[in-house]
Amino acid sequence: MPEQHDVVDLLTADHRAVRDLFEVYRTTTDPELRRQLVDRMTVAVVRHSVAEEVHLYPTVRKALPNGDRIADEEIEELTEAERILSDLDAVDPRDRRFDPLVRELMDVVSMHIRGEEDLVFPELRERLTPEERMALGLRVGEAAAAVRGAPPVSPEGPGPGRTLADRVREQLTGRTR
């Protein structure tokens, strides 16, 4: 059973973990480590995206003024991040295109994080009771625990064109985006 946390605290911790991966990426030039870091970013970003799509954004749509617009914009950013991650899956870390794609990913994810931490999360703290945020945090935490308990994503999935992001999303939801 996962620990119960306020959803804002839980998702902020996810943001911090991804930013930490970005920092480690910036400090290394080893291509193999860079690939491993991007793979870890992929799993973290897709897991976070699915948790927000399934649990957070339905609440945002109901609880926040302009909630539909806000949720749609945040989902669009996450979709763009997953597109970049899929592009990265096909590029060797020694290829000159790899680093610019990672920088683009960092920009998109950083914009997403800022939007949530500066706008969405303060609004949720204001409009939801602590009990509602804890209940939402429990659902997000349970989803994360289920992922941690699932078998690891195999390095090679069946079928051409299936990226790591596709395989992670399918493992979490039973379907690709």
Side-chain angles (χ1 to χ4, degrees):
M1 183 81 179
E3 288 185 43
Q4 195 167 6
H5 295 284
D6 182 301
V7 69
V8 172
D9 297 338
L10 194 62
L11 294 173
T12 300
D14 277 359
H15 292 168
R16 195 170 26 257
V18 170
R19 284 200 293 275
D20 290 347
L21 289 171
F22 290 168
E23 286 307 311
V24 174
Y25 181 91
R26 286 183 183 107
T27 64
T28 186
T29 58
D30 176 51
E32 289 177 28
L33 180 55
R34 283 185 156 201
R35 168 53 68 196
Q36 291 171 7
L37 288 165
V38 168
D39 289 351
R40 288 176 58 198
M41 289 174 204
T42 300
V43 172
V45 168
V46 174
R47 182 188 57 77
H48 183 85
S49 295
V50 169
E52 289 188 340
E53 289 166 15
V54 172
H55 300 291
L56 179 69
Y57 295 131
T59 300
V60 166
R61 289 180 189 285
K62 292 176 192 168
L64 272 57
N66 299 312
D68 285 330
R69 180 187 56 77
I70 292 167
D72 290 344
E73 288 172 2
E74 295 298 325
I75 290 169
E76 188 176 316
E77 290 171 354
L78 291 170
T79 300
E80 177 65 7
E82 286 189 42
R83 183 203 57 80
I84 297 165
L85 287 164
S86 292
D87 290 348
L88 276 163
D89 200 55
V91 179
D92 186 280
R94 292 167 196 80
D95 188 300
R96 63 180 174 76
R97 296 172 295 159
F98 194 81
D99 201 47
L101 277 170
V102 174
R103 283 195 304 275
E104 183 181 356
L105 173 69
M106 290 176 182
D107 290 345
V108 169
V109 171
S110 295
M111 182 171 40
H112 170 75
I113 289 171
R114 276 192 308 275
E116 284 190 342
E117 292 184 0
D118 294 347
L119 171 69
V120 177
F121 293 170
E123 286 277 335
L124 287 175
R125 284 197 193 278
E126 182 179 313
R127 296 181 182 281
L128 298 181
T129 66
E131 294 79 16
E132 289 169 323
R133 291 193 316 270
M134 293 296 278
L136 189 55
L138 182 61
R139 290 194 304 273
V140 169
E142 286 172 344
V147 172
R148 283 191 290 274
V153 176
S154 63
E156 296 301 323
R162 293 197 60 232
T163 66
L164 177 58
D166 293 334
R167 294 189 310 272
V168 172
R169 179 169 280 281
E170 186 172 335
Q171 180 177 331
L172 296 171
T173 65
R175 59 180 164 51
T176 58
R177 185 174 275 204

